Amino acid sequence: MFKNKRLMIWASALLFSFGMVGCKSKFEKLRTGNDNVAKYREAINLYNDKKYSKALVLFEDLSNKYRGRPENEELLYYFAYTNYRLRDYTSARFHFKNFTDQYPQSGKAEECRFMGAYCYYLESPVYSLDQDNTLKAIESLQLFINLYPKSDRAEEAAKFIQDLRDKLERKSFANARLYLDVGDYKAAVIAFQNSLRDYPDTKFAEEMEYLAVKAQYLYAKNSMLNSQTGRYEEAIQFSDHFTDNYPESKFKKDAEGLKKDSQKDIENVKKLIASLTPNQKKQEEEKQKQNEEQNNSPKGALPQQTIQ
């Protein structure tokens, strides 16, 4: 009995294997055959059954064979969506664009142009990485809004653009903060100012303006003696500008503290310069000249901490 049972299990497994091979052979026979009508019909069925990988194989095979034929419009539409369902957003946006280029008057053109832009949106990386796709996504979504301002999707596209701009703002803030963290205070001041100019309505504005005060103070403090007074005075101006803009800020006390420190340091610098001998003043001038030459020489991505 045991032997017969074992034989039955073996026979069932063999039949199942033959069945699988038969199914595979049927698909392969269709794929390699010349019956494009049956192949087209099966590709649509596979897509509707969410068997996207198999559907893609057939759509790829048919894409050249149906070029110029009436069925090609529907084929391209499904081809783009099949790539989208497989999360191949690069290929999907290419095929969505291909659809709109070939059929700009189609009833599906608006949808495909939106989906192409949306694929760019989905490919936008986290803020800490290169934001080339983010910029392309904004451009593509804005083009959609310009072309279809009354579309139901225009509002959604605008929300996507705002999400992407928030990411760029965060990237800009992080880059400026990095200069401050590594001790390149001059670059930090410039970066904070540029970021505030590029994104005047950014949610990071208050913190960036305070950090600009801090960066300017540290820039002055780490400068050559003869340059410190003017740079401390700029730090004071930055502090006054900050407290005027944000009188209730949580950073107000710190900003005012940096202003007081700058005022004290100005007095100390004046006294120190006045106490220098002619020879010491000459040495300071030579050091400053050397630092100016170093700062004017080519640098890497992040300038050195030494400041004139």
Side-chain angles (χ1 to χ4, degrees), residues 128-162:
S128 58
L129 300 179
D130 180 76
Q131 295 300 305
D132 184 55
N133 270 352
T134 301
L135 295 171
K136 289 178 180 177
I138 292 174
E139 181 182 354
S140 187
L141 288 163
Q142 187 60 57
L143 176 60
F144 174 81
I145 293 173
N146 295 344
L147 291 174
Y148 304 99
K150 296 181 180 179
S151 169
D152 294 338
R153 298 181 177 91
E155 184 177 350
E156 188 175 9
K159 290 179 180 179
F160 288 150
I161 289 175
Q162 187 57 55

Side-chain angles (χ1 to χ4, degrees), residues 223-264:
S223 297
M224 297 298 296
L225 193 62
N226 291 334
S227 300
Q228 287 185 4
T229 299
R231 290 169 185 171
Y232 278 128
E233 289 173 348
E234 286 190 60
I236 293 171
Q237 293 175 8
F238 281 16
S239 177
D240 288 340
H241 180 76
F242 175 79
T243 52
D244 286 344
N245 286 343
Y246 304 99
E248 305 297 327
S249 173
K250 63 180 180 179
F251 302 113
K252 180 180 179 181
K253 184 176 180 180
D254 291 332
E256 290 176 339
L258 290 170
K259 176 180 178 179
K260 291 178 181 178
D261 289 343
S262 296
Q263 292 169 333
K264 291 178 182 177

Side-chain angles (χ1 to χ4, degrees), residues 19-139:
M20 292 297 290
V21 171
C23 290
K24 181 179 180 183
S25 297
K26 182 180 178 181
F27 176 79
E28 286 300 316
K29 184 178 179 180
L30 180 65
R31 184 183 69 82
T32 57
N34 296 321
D35 190 346
N36 292 328
V37 174
K39 193 180 297 186
Y40 189 101
R41 189 185 308 115
E42 181 63 14
I44 301 296
N45 290 335
L46 288 168
Y47 177 89
N48 291 331
D49 289 340
K50 299 182 180 181
K51 297 177 181 179
Y52 303 120
S53 295
K54 280 190 173 184
L56 183 65
V57 173
L58 298 182
F59 283 132
E60 285 179 336
D61 183 66
L62 292 167
S63 60
N64 292 325
K65 297 175 181 178
Y66 272 74
R67 187 170 296 172
R69 294 176 57 176
E71 299 90 344
N72 190 53
E73 180 179 339
E74 184 183 45
L75 188 149
L76 287 181
Y77 178 78
Y78 274 103
F79 194 11
Y81 264 106
T82 302
N83 282 280
Y84 171 75
R85 299 300 182 190
L86 290 170
R87 299 186 180 183
D88 183 356
Y89 301 125
T90 300
S91 297
R93 61 179 165 79
F94 171 82
H95 292 298
F96 280 125
K97 183 179 184 301
N98 190 26
F99 182 95
T100 57
D101 288 344
Q102 290 193 41
Y103 302 101
Q105 303 305 319
S106 169
K108 295 183 174 70
E110 176 189 323
E111 176 188 353
C112 287
R113 187 173 292 278
F114 174 81
M115 289 301 300
Y118 182 58
C119 286
Y120 261 129
Y121 172 80
L122 293 174
E123 287 187 304
S124 174
V126 295
Y127 79 93
S128 58
L129 300 179
D130 180 76
Q131 295 300 305
D132 184 55
N133 270 352
T134 301
L135 295 171
K136 289 178 180 177
I138 292 174
E139 181 182 354

Side-chain angles (χ1 to χ4, degrees), residues 162-177:
Q162 187 57 55
D163 288 343
L164 296 167
R165 284 178 175 164
D166 287 345
K167 188 181 295 187
L168 292 177
E169 289 176 13
R170 190 173 181 185
K171 173 78 171 179
S172 181
F173 175 47
N175 286 346
R177 184 63 185 261

Side-chain angles (χ1 to χ4, degrees), residues 4-18:
N4 290 337
K5 185 176 181 181
R6 187 175 179 182
L7 184 61
M8 289 176 62
I9 294 174
W10 181 85
S12 298
L14 187 61
L15 287 172
F16 178 77
S17 299
F18 282 141

